[in-house]
Amino acid sequence: MSVVQPKILLALSLAAMTAALSGCTTYRPAPKAFNEATIQPYTLDSGDRLRITVFDQQSLTNTYTVDQAGYVAFPLIGQVPARGRTLQQLSGQIAQKLQQGYLRDPDVTIDVDRYRSVFIMGEVGQPGQYAYVPGMTVQNAIAVAGGFTSRANQRMVDVTRKINGQVLTGRINISGPIIAGDTIYVRERLF
């Protein structure tokens, strides 16, 4: 009887360790497209505020916001699809539409006036929505959100990112770059 008890205890402890570690093994690293998104040209989405300049047309030059549906409401030509397009693609599209009966040779330039926000959750001082700055890293974003709490995992974070219409989540190092619209989740450390 005394020999059976250690075997049962050993089996129970192995089962408990397996259950505890199984939560760690269900995570998959970030896909290749996840990291490639940080080096691609900036693509527009809802929440971006743009400074659109039409040369020699003061009445058309203004700031415009990409709405929830992904469109920019532009005078004379109406709704212009912006979601998923680069600044150069959108300026070409606006120029093309203006050329169809409104202006002879429109010169359209677009700059981002304000990028869409990043969201920071979990073990940070002040979780919330924060302004994105080009070149921002996870560590910069966490600093803006009040830094790590005492329970935070300070090495890796989960980042949720929209890529080509798909929402992907990957775990990255805190020195990794982020893009506008990312959601950063700082997990609690295990030990």
Side-chain angles (χ1 to χ4, degrees):
M1 187 90 157
S2 64
V3 174
V4 174
Q5 279 183 328
K7 287 183 180 179
I8 292 173
L9 289 175
L10 180 61
L12 288 173
S13 64
L14 283 173
M17 286 174 40
T18 303
L21 291 176
S22 68
C24 297
T25 60
T26 58
Y27 175 76
R28 286 180 272 151
K32 187 177 180 183
F34 191 86
N35 295 322
E36 289 175 354
T38 62
I39 58 172
Q40 299 299 320
Y42 185 74
T43 56
L44 300 167
D45 208 342
S46 300
D48 286 327
R49 188 169 66 195
L50 309 173
R51 176 79 179 155
I52 302 177
T53 306
V54 181
F55 181 72
D56 214 18
Q57 298 294 321
Q58 294 293 43
S59 62
L60 298 176
T61 299
N62 206 343
T63 56
Y64 301 89
T65 302
V66 180
D67 66 18
Q68 290 298 322
Y71 290 86
V72 171
F74 200 80
L76 302 176
I77 59 175
Q79 299 281 67
V80 181
R83 178 175 284 142
R85 290 182 168 75
T86 64
L87 297 173
Q88 189 174 12
Q89 290 170 334
L90 183 62
S91 67
Q93 190 174 10
I94 291 173
Q96 181 183 19
K97 288 186 177 224
L98 285 171
Q99 203 167 10
Q100 297 172 355
Y102 299 105
L103 299 174
R104 186 177 312 157
D105 189 22
D107 183 10
V108 179
T109 58
I110 302 176
D111 295 308
V112 178
D113 186 52
R114 186 187 71 218
Y115 292 88
R116 58 190 177 274
S117 301
V118 294
F119 302 88
I120 307 165
M121 306 177 347
E123 296 297 325
V124 293
Q126 299 169 342
Q129 177 179 345
Y130 293 93
Y132 171 78
V133 177
M136 190 176 242
T137 65
V138 171
Q139 192 169 22
N140 299 140
I142 291 170
V144 170
F148 292 110
T149 66
S150 59
R151 297 182 310 267
N153 176 348
Q154 296 185 18
R155 286 191 258 184
M156 303 292 277
V157 298
D158 292 340
V159 175
T160 302
R161 178 174 295 158
K162 189 175 181 182
I163 303 169
N164 298 327
Q166 263 190 313
V167 178
L168 302 173
T169 299
R171 189 162 293 165
I172 64 172
N173 191 302
I174 64 164
S175 62
I178 60 171
I179 58 177
D182 279 357
T183 299
I184 301 166
Y185 183 76
V186 179
R187 294 190 172 279
E188 188 174 350
R189 70 173 183 262
L190 296 176
F191 301 101

